[in-house]
Amino acid sequence: MRNPEQKALTVLADALPAGVEIVQDERTDVAGVTINVPGHTPILVDLAWAGAGFPRDIERALTKISGNRKALVITAEAMSEGAQRILGEQGIAWASADGAANLVLGTIWVVKDPKRSPRPRGRGAVNWTNSLATIAETVLNRARLRDDTYDGILVPSVGQLSSESYRSAGSVSNALTTFDREGWTQKVGSRRGRSAIRQLVAPGPMLDAWAAHEAVVHEQVAEYHSLTRDPIQLGLAIASEFEAAVFSGRFAADRLAPFSTEIGVIRCYLPDEMTLRAREDRLRRIGLTLAPGAGRLKVLWAGPHIVQQSRTVDGFRLASPVRTYADLLRESSRGEEAAAHLRETAIGF
């Protein structure tokens, strides 16, 4: 799959009741469709895709609508609470790839909450696994490297991706097949097989899908309290004690693309080979105490790819812009704003 309009069609089709037919017209700026409900008047709809489904994505999608049909439906990977509020205030129907929907269209009344009723995997949906997500993150992190020979973004070889993602060559080959099917990557030139040359042709939709998945994945996080109120001093103390500590969230974002006026909680990854006892002892040594739900520091275990793909800025090892972007989306609406700024400034797609 496909371009955003086709993805929007798939999400809408998955949300509608069985027996309802969707007919697409020929416009390309927005997917104009007719919804045919047996025995009822056809419903004319303008259908738009809003990426990851955050407020800024909704606003961007609405500005692109040029149709004048009677109804409007916005679709996305996952609709944030802020986005749902905006759409609700304007009476706009919506559906998302995670199975949620609020569709009131003529005789159609569909309200779905996947948190209450798990939804089977829909047609064309990506079956995200830890391995697939790690490989996708690695591809997206490499998207800054362009290849002039093919006038685009060259995807690293299977061997390179395997080394940088710490996943097997077989897992990488399977992941690339999935990315090809989604329309995010495509083979170029005449080479075939596991060493085939690929381009990343849809980095934006791929980032939307991966970040939406990462934003809802359950995290194992430990929170710590510190008497140090200055985030820079606290960050320096952590960096001096843990050479491989990788900072993310607002702390990292303000070094990659300054935006936040206040950094409340520091988000930090520590290598997953470190034992819990060793971590606790070293954190206590710099004055940090365990404080579930009320800490100044959030500690997570870092897979080796997060450490390997980090970089040092101003003396701090920072998570990649792509990882930082996904972590910002886990925060409040201000986190969404910071994420949008980071994406525009440091990611570029």
Side-chain angles (χ1 to χ4, degrees):
M1 200 163 59
R2 330 147 229 19
N3 58 41
E5 286 73 30
Q6 291 174 314
K7 184 66 177 287
L9 284 167
T10 297
V11 171
L12 177 60
D14 286 341
L16 290 172
V20 174
E21 180 189 30
I22 301 177
V23 179
Q24 183 181 11
D25 70 15
E26 298 300 323
R27 287 182 299 163
T28 57
D29 58 331
V30 62
V33 302
T34 300
I35 300 176
N36 293 317
V37 182
H40 297 275
T41 302
I43 304 169
L44 305 181
V45 172
D46 280 324
L47 180 64
W49 177 252
F54 293 97
R56 188 164 179 171
D57 299 318
I58 301 302
E59 294 169 1
R60 186 182 300 114
L62 290 175
T63 62
K64 295 179 180 179
I65 297 297
S66 61
N68 56 4
R69 296 197 161 202
K70 294 182 179 180
L72 173 62
V73 177
I74 302 294
T75 58
E77 291 289 349
M79 212 66 79
S80 71
E81 291 184 4
Q84 292 183 38
R85 184 166 55 253
I86 292 173
L87 295 171
E89 290 172 351
Q90 300 187 41
I92 298 174
W94 60 269
S96 55
D98 64 358
N102 191 339
L103 297 170
V104 181
L105 302 166
T107 57
I108 297 173
W109 187 295
V110 177
V111 178
K112 295 182 179 180
D113 184 351
K115 296 178 182 178
R116 295 182 181 179
S117 56
R119 164 182 175 264
R121 183 172 174 236
R123 292 171 296 167
V126 175
N127 183 22
W128 288 105
T129 63
N130 288 337
S131 177
L132 185 66
T134 297
I135 296 164
E137 181 177 359
T138 303
V139 170
L140 290 166
N141 279 327
R142 290 294 300 268
R144 297 186 301 274
L145 305 176
R146 302 185 67 85
D147 182 81
D148 293 335
T149 302
Y150 294 98
D151 190 27
I153 304 171
L154 190 64
V155 176
S157 68
V158 170
Q160 288 175 300
L161 283 177
S162 176
S163 175
E164 294 179 17
S165 65
Y166 294 83
R167 299 292 179 174
S168 70
S171 295
V172 171
S173 294
N174 290 336
L176 291 173
T177 298
T178 297
F179 303 157
D180 288 347
R181 185 178 65 244
E182 290 298 308
W184 300 333
T185 59
Q186 68 178 17
K187 295 179 181 179
V188 295
S190 60
R191 301 178 67 179
R192 293 293 181 266
R194 293 172 63 182
S195 61
I197 296 176
R198 282 181 172 84
Q199 279 184 293
L200 178 60
V201 294
M206 185 177 183
L207 177 60
D208 287 339
W210 173 80
H213 161 74
E214 288 294 313
V216 298
V217 169
H218 175 70
E219 293 185 307
Q220 290 187 330
V221 59
E223 296 188 51
Y224 295 84
H225 175 69
S226 172
L227 295 177
T228 302
R229 308 302 297 176
D230 185 343
I232 301 299
Q233 291 183 12
L234 180 55
L236 287 170
I238 297 167
S240 66
E241 184 65 35
F242 301 94
E243 181 181 355
V246 178
F247 296 91
S248 187
R250 289 176 185 263
F251 188 89
D254 270 14
R255 270 135 205 89
L256 297 169
F259 177 83
S260 300
T261 57
E262 179 181 355
I263 302 173
V265 177
I266 292 182
R267 185 181 183 89
C268 177
Y269 290 92
L270 296 179
D272 57 9
E273 68 267 15
M274 185 183 301
T275 66
L276 179 62
R277 176 66 178 273
R279 182 186 74 183
E280 296 294 314
D281 288 345
R282 295 172 69 177
L283 288 172
R284 277 196 297 268
R285 189 155 55 202
I286 56 176
L288 287 159
T289 55
L290 194 63
R296 295 274 297 166
L297 171 70
K298 286 187 175 182
V299 173
L300 305 98
W301 294 120
H305 75 287
I306 293 179
V307 179
Q308 194 271 344
Q309 294 171 22
S310 66
R311 56 175 169 162
T312 301
V313 178
D314 297 333
F316 297 102
R317 187 189 291 266
L318 305 182
S320 70
V322 168
R323 166 58 53 178
T324 301
Y325 173 75
D327 286 342
L328 285 170
L329 295 180
R330 288 181 172 273
E331 300 183 12
S332 63
S333 58
R334 289 289 293 172
E336 295 173 7
E337 294 174 8
H341 177 72
L342 177 71
R343 182 171 182 171
E344 180 177 351
T345 305
I347 299 177
F349 53 80

